[in-house]
Amino acid sequence: MSMSVNKTEKIGIYGGSFDPPHFGHVIAVKEARRSLGLDRVLVIPAAIPPHKRISGRATAEQRFEMTRLAFENVKFAEVRDDELRREGPSYTADTVAELREEFPDARFYLLTGADMFMTIQNWWNVEEIFASCTVVALSREAGQTDELREHAVWLGHRYAVSTEVVENPVVEISSTELRGLIAKGQQSKFLPEKVAQYIAREGLYLD
Ligand code: ATP
Ligand code: MG
């Protein structure tokens, strides 16, 4: 058995808009859990401030439901509404602080795609995130690991932060690209079947 007394739980935290969620998200989470030996991953859709909301996009409830469907067969993943229940825009530092109260003894791994990892130093209260989480970088394009490793070194010189660069299989897809395909009536192998059905039923992303 892998469970033993006093074993520190390793928890991944994966945030995003998930508008819509896709296999790039699911595969990144699976690979991070495999390579880091995470016990579970909390998948947390972010609130999008109303003034930023663009017509034709999904509501918070729809993004939450689609994310639940995308991760429904991933046993170690739990889709949570922490950021949707809070007022105003979502700050990862706030989420991590709340999770720290809920899981005082866990080791946190903040999972980020390359675009997020390269700019994480600009996030609000980032030093509080660094104090509580190992930051994990996942590639979004082929040949990106060197750039991610260099940035990890730079962060390490500048901040008290622990980082990991995962060599994940690259899945070149974004939600932006998927919204464009759906608007044109096209399908994509990167969209989980149940998410595609939900999008069709709700008439999402048509304009
Ligand atoms: P959008 O185009 O709307 O920005 P997105 O595809 O970037 O959507 P987000 O919800 O913005 O998806 O991303 C959530 C998290 O998942 C971020 O850390 C992002 O870097 C990461 N991510 C998104 N797509 C991939 C992918 N294909 N491979 C690895 N990580 C990804
Ligand atoms: Mg994005």
Side-chain angles (χ1 to χ4, degrees), residues 21-190:
H22 50 66
F23 281 126
H25 298 128
V26 175
I27 289 168
V29 161
K30 285 184 168 173
E31 187 58 23
R33 117 107 182 184
R34 197 194 62 76
S35 72
L36 301 166
L38 306 180
D39 295 293
R40 55 173 155 161
V41 177
L42 311 179
V43 181
I44 307 182
I48 297 172
H51 64 272
K52 277 200 181 173
R53 193 166 298 147
I54 297 164
S55 82
R57 294 287 181 90
T59 64
E61 293 70 25
Q62 288 169 327
R63 291 184 296 108
F64 180 79
E65 183 59 18
M66 289 189 285
T67 309
R68 221 185 46 71
L69 291 170
F71 284 92
E72 129 188 298
N73 295 323
V74 184
K75 292 285 177 293
F76 59 84
E78 185 189 337
V79 179
R80 308 204 359 156
D81 65 358
D82 304 59
E83 295 192 350
L84 303 180
R85 281 188 285 99
R86 280 206 308 268
E87 291 279 306
S90 303
Y91 293 106
T92 301
D94 291 340
T95 305
V96 167
E98 285 183 8
L99 291 172
R100 184 48 81 198
E101 291 189 14
E102 187 176 340
F103 303 100
D105 301 322
R107 184 146 178 208
F108 287 158
Y109 293 80
L110 183 70
L111 311 182
T112 65
D115 54 318
M116 294 291 114
F117 184 70
M118 296 304 291
T119 54
I120 194 168
Q121 63 278 1
N122 303 326
W123 292 10
W124 185 72
N125 268 0
V126 75
E127 300 195 38
E128 288 184 25
I129 299 173
F130 290 163
S132 200
C133 304
T134 294
V135 181
V136 179
L138 293 141
S139 292
R140 294 190 64 162
E141 292 164 28
Q144 211 166 29
T145 34
D146 285 350
E147 178 190 357
L148 297 178
R149 286 220 179 83
E150 278 168 33
H151 194 64
V153 169
W154 182 84
L155 285 173
H157 285 311
R158 212 169 147 146
Y159 301 94
V161 58
S162 144
T163 58
E164 294 272 0
V165 177
V166 170
E167 291 197 43
N168 57 305
V170 164
V171 182
E172 283 196 45
I173 190 66
S174 68
S175 302
T176 301
E177 201 179 327
L178 284 172
R179 290 192 301 270
L181 288 173
I182 295 161
K184 289 187 284 182
Q186 292 173 12
Q187 303 193 337
S188 169
K189 63 176 179 181
F190 296 116

